[in-house]
Amino acid sequence: MGVGGSFWDLLKPYARQEGPGYLHGRRVAVDLSFWIVSHSTAIRARSPHARRPHVRNTFFRTLSLFAKMGAFPVFVVDGEPSPLKSQARAARFFRGSGVDLPASSSAEAEGEASAPAPVKARNAIFTRCVKDCVELLENLGMPVLWAKGEAEALCAQLNNEGEVDACITSDSDAFLFGAKTVIKVMRSNCKEPFECYNIADIESGIGLKRKQMVAMALLIGSDHDLHGVPGFGVETALRFVRLFDEDQILDKLHEIGKGIYPFLEGFDKAHVDDLPSPSTKSPPVARSPHCSHCGHPGSKKNHSKTGCNYCLVDSLEFCMEKPAGFVCECPSCEKVRDLKAQKRHENWQIKVCKRLAAETNFPNEEIIRLYLCDDNFDTKESGDRKLEWTEPKVDDLVDLLAYMQNWEPSYVRQHMLPMLSTIYLRRMASSPCKSLLLCDQYEFHSIQRIKIKHGHPYYLVKWKRATGGILSGGASHRKPELDGESHAEVVVLDDDEEEEEEEATVNIESSDSLDEPDLPQVLRDDDQVFLLTDEDIQLVNAAFPNDARQFQEAQRLKDAKSRSRKSKLSLAESMLETPKGPRPSGVQLSIKEFYRSKKAAGDDAGKKPLVEGETSTSRAGTRKSPPVDLTKRIPKSLRRRLLFD
């Protein structure tokens, strides 16, 4: 949730639409609770009997984020929630279930911050889900950090200190904790771009900075205070906090909470209760007389004698009648309107300040300290704060997912291959080594082509089996999977060298499953095994520059031939569709065209005009010259292409 009301709607006009390439090479802090809650709910809605959807979702999304988007994710886990949030969770739980909050669970009534039993039971289930995901992420080699309280608070701190480049969370209070870039909604397999919010865009758009957002949270409510101040919405709170700079907004709220009116000049202290009640009557202001006919300054009597300077006439007879809704723009009327607007604004300020002064414990110092704290790292759980991405423990992952998800080992290894190939390419880019193999079995063979996936280009890379092993059984005759096709069975290879390689077929979910990445293709050619994977272009160029250079040169030659062939084809089509026009002057004709033109000119000059009833056929007899086939000028191969295409 974050800040209450429709705070995200206020920020949405300043969101940037970014594609998958935005996260390439960037470090991102991920709120793990956000992933578990939101996407596990979506999976349960589609598959009510799904087994541990939080584990499945975390596995596939981490692979996509690391391998497909090229990001370096850092996962952050919630710590102990603050007493204020425990109260808010209990209130939200009972409000959603339609039951009144018992007095024994209210901290205001009993002085306790503990949540009721139903909330504790739900939190115990969620804690087990978090432990499952943390165990999975550690086996994947991802860094996992523990926060003292809110996970988005530590994500924002890492972003503010430059440890990461962005935060992935749906809580809008990440900006209140100091975040600079927040990615709200992101689907790794979605073609549509995701929303990315930058604090610089928000500051330049609506003029809100961190402390001003904290003040808005105090007014309209947040995760730590669900109600806020009665009568305050997003628009009212935004209008109020804009009256002060970021450095003085919180001090002014403290003054108003003590009953001091901060808007009067020339008074050291003016109490809110001493202020007059807001009146709806306008102050008496001297206004010059206006004509009742045209509405301009001057009386109707004067206009009948001397005319109107605004209408530019000499008498009232020619003066134009004022239309409906006429507003005079003279200086005196402008002054009156400004005074009325100023009075309404002052009345609104008095009303707002009296409403804030009537609130008990406003502003809440505990909430302010919580949002402005810059020490959210839990050293007891996480130990060292160093961010490191280590090698995944494939064997442990196979055992873990076989226990949690009942997946076959070959299925897990097959889906792990894009991540392992990304790690391999990064290692080759940093320190090239010819003896290094992918999964200790495959070596880089070639770049097949450029593939566009979700609007982003990738290299389709071909890997060759270095050990000379082959697929056994029916896999040797299986046709490789083509782009755009979906099969119920996929042939995979087991990576265990101690055991014999055997064919394994597993049932997989449909191609539109939530966040499931594309599978690598298995190819067999002349007793050799190949793999086809989608790899990042920049990463392949850095890892294998010579092969990439050769592929790019071949692509340029291929494109040049294609353009030349298309230009010839278009020229031939234009020759067939439109007759050949006269050549420009100064261009020498060929010998055939020269005699043809001379003969045509001589025939036309020597012909007699036709007599009435006479035709050209009757004059020439029954013999008729065959028509000239213009397509004979075109090569035979091109004529065949035009005929059949």
Side-chain angles (χ1 to χ4, degrees), residues 19-240:
Y22 174 77
L23 295 177
H24 177 73
R26 297 176 185 264
R27 297 185 176 189
V28 290
V30 181
D31 184 356
L32 185 59
S33 302
F34 163 60
W35 270 17
I36 295 175
V37 173
S38 60
H39 300 285
S40 297
T41 305
I43 293 177
R44 288 189 185 277
R46 298 177 59 179
S47 303
H49 304 290
R51 183 175 183 177
R52 296 186 180 177
H54 55 281
V55 175
R56 177 199 179 279
N57 171 69
T58 304
F59 176 71
F60 285 125
R61 287 182 65 85
T62 304
L63 294 182
S64 298
L65 192 62
F66 185 84
K68 181 191 301 182
M69 298 187 178
F72 293 86
V74 179
F75 293 89
V76 181
V77 184
D78 286 308
E80 286 294 328
S82 65
L84 293 174
K85 189 159 187 178
S86 299
Q87 300 170 21
R89 284 179 176 177
R92 188 182 295 138
F93 175 81
F94 282 99
R95 185 175 60 184
S97 59
V99 181
D100 295 334
L101 181 66
S104 60
S105 64
S106 174
E108 296 178 359
E110 299 291 337
E112 297 178 356
S114 60
V119 181
K120 287 185 176 180
R122 187 192 62 176
N123 291 342
I125 297 175
F126 183 76
T127 302
R128 288 198 296 270
C129 295
V130 171
K131 289 182 178 179
D132 293 340
C133 293
V134 169
E135 184 179 2
L136 174 67
L137 293 170
E138 289 177 348
N139 286 324
L140 285 171
M142 299 292 112
V144 180
L145 302 180
W146 294 79
K148 286 184 178 179
E150 301 292 325
E152 62 267 23
L154 182 54
C155 292
Q157 180 182 343
L158 294 173
N159 187 207
N160 192 21
E161 295 176 355
E163 296 287 340
V164 297
D165 301 301
C167 307
I168 300 179
T169 180
S170 64
D171 290 333
S172 55
D173 55 1
F175 292 109
L176 283 64
F177 287 112
K180 296 181 179 179
T181 303
V182 175
I183 298 173
K184 180 187 175 185
V185 179
M186 186 187 67
R187 285 275 303 275
S188 56
N189 267 12
C190 185
K191 296 181 180 179
E192 299 180 359
F194 49 82
E195 296 180 3
C196 183
Y197 296 82
N198 292 309
I199 189 64
D201 298 335
I202 297 173
E203 291 179 2
S204 61
I206 53 179
L208 283 182
K209 297 184 178 180
R210 180 180 178 182
K211 292 183 179 179
Q212 291 171 322
M213 293 184 182
V214 173
M216 288 192 66
L218 296 172
L219 295 174
I220 62 180
S222 62
D223 285 340
H224 311 283
D225 180 15
L226 296 180
H227 305 289
V229 179
F232 272 86
V234 174
E235 297 297 332
T236 305
L238 177 63
R239 179 184 175 187
F240 181 76

Side-chain angles (χ1 to χ4, degrees), residues 249-290:
I249 177 65
L250 297 179
D251 295 334
K252 294 296 182 181
L253 289 182
H254 282 96
E255 292 180 3
I256 297 173
K258 296 176 182 178
I260 300 174
Y261 186 68
F263 296 105
L264 289 179
E265 297 180 358
F267 297 89
D268 293 336
K269 290 183 179 181
H271 203 274
V272 175
D273 297 335
D274 299 335
L275 297 175
S277 300
S279 60
T280 57
K281 296 182 180 180
S282 302
V285 180
R287 181 171 177 266
S288 61
H290 283 61

Side-chain angles (χ1 to χ4, degrees), residues 414 471-482 485-493 503-507 520-526 528-530:
Q414 186 183 27
L471 288 170
S472 61
S476 60
H477 303 288
R478 184 174 298 277
K479 185 179 179 180
E481 184 180 353
L482 302 178
E485 295 183 354
S486 59
H487 300 278
E489 295 180 345
V490 177
V491 179
V492 296
L493 287 174
E503 177 186 4
T505 57
V506 293
N507 294 326
Q521 303 175 18
V522 183
L523 187 66
R524 172 190 162 85
D525 185 16
D526 295 336
Q528 290 184 347
V529 178
F530 296 95

Side-chain angles (χ1 to χ4, degrees), residues 24 67-70 425 456-459 534-541:
H24 177 73
K68 181 191 301 182
M69 298 187 178
L425 291 174
H456 192 69
Y458 293 89
Y459 276 153
D534 302 331
E535 305 297 342
D536 184 79
I537 292 180
Q538 298 180 6
L539 200 55
V540 176
N541 291 341

